[in-house]
């Protein structure tokens, strides 16, 4: 019997062993782990597929059939709205979808919901792009540029964003106060990556941001986060 997912070209390259489960196409980058952490937090059954950058899997026709923007993560849910399969890309959109699907990680109160979405958009428009540029100019090819003005520009903006984040977290356990949400799942993998993989903690003076450090520690201590950070293996 042919499963519904077999009609999607991406399953030719990454066959679904469990076609009844949500399919995740990802890698353990800050954006990639947003999806896997949310899936672990909600308890939704899923199957993870590794999209390897070193072999340019993200540029394959099969992956592009699901995400023409050739970025991870992307998902294919056999049980989407109306019972029909749903293909979706963009980590922020995936977080909102998973929260709405499960009724978790996003407040039901309209005002609180919009506050969560506000901080989600803030991460997508600020934290992600700016921290990513710091990583490029500090650790990757950009570090060899003689002109250090681009690095300085992105470091300065990253410091400003950390100041905003630190001020907001004073007196709050999470971005929305006592309620853990997709806003936290969006933001803190990037903070972790900045001071960890990018090795830019000293560069941005991370020790100054006591509230950010406190919440980052609480975030990585969550069992679902620890599992999600390793997906796909």
């Amino acid at each position: 019997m042919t499963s519904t997912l077999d009609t999607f070209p991406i399953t030719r390259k990454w066959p679904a062993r469990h076609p009844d489960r949500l399919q995740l196409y990802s890698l353990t980058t800050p954006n990639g782990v947003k999806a896997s952490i949310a899936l672990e937090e909600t308890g939704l059954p899923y199957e993870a597929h590794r999209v390897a950058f070193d072999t340019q899997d993200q540029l394959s026709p099969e992956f592009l059939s699901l995400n023409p923007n050739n970025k991870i993560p992307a998902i294919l849910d056999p049980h989407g709205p109306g019972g029909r399969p749903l293909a979706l890309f963009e980590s922020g959109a995936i977080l909102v979808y998973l929260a709405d699907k499960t009724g978790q990680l996003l407040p039901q109160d309209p005002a609180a919901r919009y506050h969560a979405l506000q901080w989600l958009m803030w991460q997508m428009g600020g934290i992600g792009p700016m921290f990513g540029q710091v990583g490029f100019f500090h650790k990757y090819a950009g570090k060899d540029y003689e002109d250090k003005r681009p690095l300085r520009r992105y470091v300065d903006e990253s410091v400003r964003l950390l100041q905003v984040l630190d001020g907001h977290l004073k007196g709050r356990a999470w971005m929305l106060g006592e309620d853990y949400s997709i806003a936290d799942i969006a933001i803190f993998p990037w903070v972790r990556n900045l001071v960890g993989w990018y090795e830019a903690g000293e560069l941005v003076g991370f020790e100054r941001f006591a509230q950010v450090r406190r919440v980052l520690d609480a975030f990585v201590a969550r069992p679902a986060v620890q599992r999600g950070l390793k997906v796909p293996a």
Side-chain angles (χ1 to χ4, degrees), residues 32-125:
V33 298
K34 291 181 199 174
S36 53
I37 289 171
L39 285 163
E40 289 291 335
E41 291 279 9
T42 60
L44 267 177
Y46 72 100
E47 179 178 350
H49 305 276
R50 187 174 187 271
V51 181
F53 289 173
D54 54 350
T55 55
Q56 296 193 319
D57 281 350
Q58 76 276 19
L59 299 177
S60 65
E62 293 86 356
F63 187 77
L64 291 172
S65 71
L66 187 66
N67 182 2
N69 196 40
N70 63 271
K71 302 290 184 181
I72 57 94
I75 63 170
L76 181 54
D77 185 359
H79 308 293
R84 294 184 295 273
L86 176 73
L88 198 62
F89 64 89
E90 279 299 321
S91 59
I94 291 170
L95 287 179
V96 174
Y97 174 71
L98 295 177
D100 283 342
K101 180 181 175 71
T102 62
Q104 302 178 53
L105 302 174
L106 194 56
Q108 296 300 308
D109 173 73
R113 176 185 174 90
Y114 282 117
H115 283 148
L117 295 176
Q118 162 187 270
W119 288 108
L120 172 63
M121 302 302 175
W122 181 77
Q123 180 277 309
M124 294 164 59

Side-chain angles (χ1 to χ4, degrees), residues 5-187:
L5 295 187
D6 288 343
T7 61
F8 289 85
I10 195 166
T11 62
R12 299 170 196 161
K13 186 173 178 68
W14 292 278
R17 298 184 303 278
H18 305 281
D20 59 320
R21 302 180 188 177
L22 184 146
Q23 306 292 304
L24 170 66
Y25 308 91
S26 193
L27 201 60
T28 53
T29 67
N31 282 333
V33 298
K34 291 181 199 174
S36 53
I37 289 171
L39 285 163
E40 289 291 335
E41 291 279 9
T42 60
L44 267 177
Y46 72 100
E47 179 178 350
H49 305 276
R50 187 174 187 271
V51 181
F53 289 173
D54 54 350
T55 55
Q56 296 193 319
D57 281 350
Q58 76 276 19
L59 299 177
S60 65
E62 293 86 356
F63 187 77
L64 291 172
S65 71
L66 187 66
N67 182 2
N69 196 40
N70 63 271
K71 302 290 184 181
I72 57 94
I75 63 170
L76 181 54
D77 185 359
H79 308 293
R84 294 184 295 273
L86 176 73
L88 198 62
F89 64 89
E90 279 299 321
S91 59
I94 291 170
L95 287 179
V96 174
Y97 174 71
L98 295 177
D100 283 342
K101 180 181 175 71
T102 62
Q104 302 178 53
L105 302 174
L106 194 56
Q108 296 300 308
D109 173 73
R113 176 185 174 90
Y114 282 117
H115 283 148
L117 295 176
Q118 162 187 270
W119 288 108
L120 172 63
M121 302 302 175
W122 181 77
Q123 180 277 309
M124 294 164 59
I127 286 276
M130 294 302 106
F131 287 13
Q133 293 291 355
V134 169
F136 175 78
F137 285 103
H138 179 60
K139 182 168 183 175
Y140 295 111
K143 71 180 184 299
D144 298 324
Y145 292 8
E146 291 185 13
D147 187 348
K148 297 305 177 185
R149 285 175 296 180
L151 171 62
R152 188 74 260 158
R153 171 183 173 85
Y154 293 120
V155 168
D156 288 348
E157 179 61 6
S158 294
V159 169
R160 188 191 70 80
L161 290 165
L162 286 168
Q163 290 171 339
V164 172
L165 184 59
D166 201 65
H168 175 74
L169 288 170
K170 288 180 181 177
R172 293 181 172 91
W174 301 103
M175 292 302 294
L176 300 185
E178 294 303 313
D179 296 328
Y180 176 77
S181 72
I182 59 172
D184 303 290
I185 295 174
I187 291 167

